[in-house]
Amino acid sequence: MRDIPAIDRIDILNKARHIMRDNKEDFVDTLLLEAGKTRTSATGEVMASLNRVKMTMEEARSVFGEYIPGDWSEDTMAKFALVVHEPLGAIACITPFNYPLFSVAAKVIPALVAGNTVVVKPSSDDPIVALLLARVLEKAGIPGGAVNVITGQGAMVGDRLVSRDQIKMITLTGSTGVGKRVASLAGMKKLHLELGGKGAAIVAADAELALASKKVLEGCLKYSGQRCDAISRVFVEEAVANRFMELLVRELSSWKLGDPRKPSNSMGPLINPEAAARVQALVDDAISKGCKLVRGGKHKGCYFEPTILDNVPHGARIAAEETFGPVVTVIRVKNLNEAIELTNESRYGLDSCVFTNSFYTAWRVTKALEEGSVTVNDAPAHGVGYFPFGGNKDSGIGREGVGYSIDEMTRLKTIQFNLAPAGLGKTRQTPKM
Ligand code: NAP
């Protein structure tokens, strides 16, 4: 891959983009069947992946490197340096179930643009769409051995993959537990970890409540809450909490749970029965500790009802643990200071958002939160435009994003030229007085 001219690498990726676009419906149907996504959400993921391929190819400029003149420092007066990006070699791309196409594309395409090879380990819950993408790359002319996919339980194949010396970088999107295990086995490899989150929405007393309730619900319920950027705690200032709850409940009537193949349904099942049982345990725990169950609260098979909990107490597990289910967890607070303090208490630091009509409140809250990303007046969203995303604390290491990913998937080499032997190097002139 390193020896294939960049223009040819880009040509292959461009062909792959066209093949994928021509077979878009196969990707949509696969996401619908193996991940339980609604058609709207599956189509959104395919379009976002196609867009990511295009943007990443266009961003290839970020591998160009840098020229640094030497005459800005006494000790490099007669020199200059070229800082070049080099491919790392083989990169392990380990991906989660919730965006089984986008998260593979967001790792594989920048890795290939930068001249690396990849070994993809997709989620065992929905690995087929990753195999489809690999097939497309093969058809587009990627050389044999440059794109590899291994399936199998992470706990079995994962350990062997991440501890191999031939792997030079691991980019993993998944839970914090798996991230920590991988980090402990990786040794001297570059690590990029996109891990769990406990996104907060802070609703200030001066917020546009109609907007806040609509966006909060979307942030909690889209893909049944199985998103790292999902809102999983809602801190509402007491002064507006009753009105906010009324709007939230009214808004809920537009969400329909059911077979995701029916266009009238906006929410489908959770990924597997264990996920439904885990969310049920979190909801039951919160109810037993005194919260008010406003709507939902039960599951049948993998289908979990859209659920609203009010007045969730501080000690409830759902106030601290990642929910990954369709639950709106409302916690009433006295003021914004309390909301900031509770948000920052979390072991996670991925995404949060704040709803307010005051620029000063927005500035104060966004600066104070220990998150990788904070959104004002909208639910958080990953992988949009050229914006970088990634977490702090237990939410990960590094940033993903179009140019940011390419950057992470190269290493820098500094090549220094000494011009003095040829008499070309600058020497210091004594300034004339
Ligand atoms: P997961 O259980 O951690 O699995 C993620 C990937 O790691 C899967 O491919 C899994 O394979 C593999 N794996 C498991 N054990 C491994 C090991 N010992 N070595 C190497 N790989 C191993 O996560 P998930 O349930 O699929 O996804 C949900 C999680 O991902 C949530 O915590 C969510 O917050 C996080 N996530 C974070 C972001 C972000 O941007 N920060 C984005 C999306 C999701 P198997 O499936 O075969 O076990």
Side-chain angles (χ1 to χ4, degrees):
M1 284 302 286
R2 154 194 326 257
D3 294 336
I4 295 178
I7 193 170
D8 294 343
R9 292 204 294 270
I10 296 294
D11 191 43
I12 294 170
L13 295 177
N14 206 19
K15 279 195 189 115
R17 188 168 69 89
H18 283 103
I19 299 172
M20 191 173 158
R21 207 180 47 195
D22 294 347
N23 294 280
K24 198 179 97 199
E25 287 313 309
D26 285 346
F27 281 89
V28 171
D29 289 343
T30 308
L31 284 173
L32 210 136
L33 290 173
E34 68 171 348
K37 300 208 166 198
T38 59
R39 188 160 289 281
T40 312
S41 141
T43 306
E45 184 169 350
V46 175
M47 295 316 287
S49 306
L50 277 166
N51 197 29
R52 182 104 329 203
V53 179
K54 181 165 179 285
M55 287 162 81
T56 309
M57 283 164 19
E58 287 168 357
E59 193 64 14
R61 272 186 321 122
S62 61
V63 251
F64 283 3
E66 200 177 9
Y67 156 79
I68 303 183
D71 62 334
W72 288 77
S73 166
E74 293 285 355
D75 53 352
T76 53
M77 190 63 75
K79 291 182 177 173
F80 72 89
L82 296 179
V83 183
V84 297
H85 290 258
E86 294 187 332
L88 296 167
I91 300 183
C93 305
I94 305 175
T95 54
F97 79 82
N98 60 341
Y99 288 100
L101 176 63
F102 182 83
S103 51
V104 175
K107 294 181 188 307
V108 168
I109 304 302
L112 298 175
V113 163
N116 300 287
T117 62
V118 294
V119 182
V120 181
K121 158 62 192 98
S123 163
S124 297
D125 283 308
D126 45 17
I128 295 176
V129 79
L131 291 161
L132 274 187
L133 180 63
R135 189 68 202 278
V136 162
L137 287 163
E138 190 182 36
K139 277 195 173 271
I142 207 87
V147 174
N148 310 277
V149 185
I150 49 165
T151 56
Q153 287 297 327
M156 283 167 70
V157 299
D159 285 2
R160 291 212 200 166
L161 174 65
V162 301
S163 51
R164 283 184 85 101
D165 286 342
Q166 292 96 325
I167 296 292
K168 301 300 176 200
M169 175 182 180
I170 301 163
T171 166
L172 161 88
T173 302
S175 59
T176 298
V178 168
K180 287 189 173 174
R181 171 153 187 89
V182 165
S184 73
L185 293 174
M188 297 287 280
K189 296 185 178 70
K190 208 166 174 185
L191 270 186
H192 174 246
L193 303 173
E194 293 281 335
L195 307 177
K198 188 70 192 165
I202 296 180
V203 182
D206 68 357
E208 176 63 53
L209 292 182
L211 173 82
S213 55
K214 185 174 174 4
K215 294 291 181 181
V216 161
L217 219 50
E218 259 175 47
C220 294
L221 301 185
K222 248 189 344 187
Y223 190 36
S224 296
Q226 300 175 110
R227 301 177 349 266
C228 50
D229 56 4
I231 295 174
S232 66
R233 293 176 294 169
V234 187
F235 297 112
V236 191
E237 279 199 273
E238 189 62 65
V240 292
N242 287 341
R243 178 69 188 136
F244 175 77
M245 290 306 295
E246 269 172 41
L247 292 168
L248 206 58
V249 171
R250 193 184 302 165
E251 197 64 47
L252 189 69
S253 56
S254 58
W255 287 81
K256 270 198 78 139
L257 173 69
D259 186 333
R261 288 168 294 193
K262 281 200 186 140
S264 55
N265 292 330
S266 46
M267 259 176 67
L270 294 180
I271 193 70
N272 54 39
E274 295 76 42
R278 195 185 44 77
V279 178
Q280 187 70 65
L282 290 176
V283 169
D284 292 348
D285 170 77
I287 295 169
S288 75
K289 287 179 178 147
C291 84
K292 180 177 172 202
L293 175 65
V294 180
R295 287 287 184 281
K298 292 213 164 44
H299 74 282
K300 199 168 175 202
C302 292
Y303 287 83
F304 207 103
E305 294 171 346
T307 297
I308 299 182
L309 305 176
D310 191 8
N311 266 315
V312 174
H314 193 51
R317 285 175 54 199
I318 204 165
E321 294 176 28
E322 202 174 17
T323 311
F324 246 60
V327 185
V328 189
T329 299
V330 177
I331 300 171
R332 297 177 179 225
V333 290
K334 290 190 294 296
N335 52 38
L336 291 175
N337 285 344
E338 189 184 353
I340 292 169
E341 202 175 299
L342 290 174
T343 304
N344 286 344
E345 246 179 33
S346 174
R347 61 189 277 230
Y348 299 109
L350 192 59
D351 294 286
S352 279
C353 59
V354 53
F355 291 89
T356 175
N357 271 338
S358 152
F359 170 80
Y360 299 104
T361 300
W363 183 245
R364 186 177 134 219
V365 175
T366 52
K367 292 290 283 176
L369 295 183
E370 298 163 358
E371 309 285 309
S373 160
V374 187
T375 305
V376 179
N377 288 335
D378 205 348
H382 272 190
V384 289
Y386 286 90
F387 302 165
F389 60 96
N392 302 333
K393 304 197 274 190
D394 271 2
S395 291
I397 304 171
R399 293 292 179 267
E400 224 161 3
V402 180
Y404 299 91
S405 294
I406 299 178
D407 240 18
E408 297 244 5
M409 290 170 166
T410 60
R411 61 181 171 215
L412 298 181
K413 179 179 279 173
T414 307
I415 304 172
Q416 302 183 31
F417 288 83
N418 182 6
L419 300 173
L424 293 170
K426 286 189 182 158
T427 49
R428 185 177 252 299
Q429 309 272 319
T430 314
K432 290 195 177 73
M433 298 302 284

